[in-house]
Amino acid sequence: MASRHVALADVATEPRTLPARYLTPEDLVEMFELPSVETVYQWRRKRTGPRGFRVGRHLRFDPADVRAWVDSQREGAAA
C-alpha cells in the first residue's frame, strides 16, 4: 500500500507527458485508472470531464485539453 501512495505522490508533483496524438476514451480509462469507459461518457454528458470532440462516431480528446482539465482539477483541489 505504501508504494502506491508514493506513486500517487509522484504523479501529483510531476506532470506526465501526454501522447502527441488524439486520445481515445480507453486512453483516459488507462491514464486515470477509471472503472470503465462509461465513466468517460458520464463525464461528457455531465460536462465535468475534459473537452472532447467527435470524429465521425468516434470520441477523441486533445492532449492539451486533457492537460488543462487536469490542471483545473488540481487547482480546485488546492482551494
Side-chain angles (χ1 to χ4, degrees):
M1 184 77 155
S3 63
R4 180 169 169 77
H5 186 339
V6 171
L8 291 175
D10 292 342
V11 170
T13 58
E14 294 182 22
R16 291 186 181 181
T17 302
L18 294 172
R21 62 176 174 77
Y22 292 120
L23 304 171
T24 66
E26 292 80 6
D27 291 329
L28 296 186
V29 168
E30 184 178 326
M31 287 170 53
F32 298 116
E33 299 179 7
L34 302 172
S36 71
V37 294
E38 183 57 32
T39 301
V40 177
Y41 289 108
Q42 285 178 11
W43 286 350
R44 185 162 167 82
R45 281 191 299 274
K46 295 177 183 177
R47 299 182 187 273
T48 59
R51 187 172 62 175
F53 62 96
R54 292 251 174 224
V55 178
R57 62 186 185 114
H58 303 284
L59 181 58
R60 296 293 181 261
F61 298 89
D62 187 320
D65 291 338
V66 174
R67 173 58 62 202
W69 178 76
V70 168
D71 291 345
S72 74
Q73 297 301 300
R74 293 175 73 190
E75 289 171 10

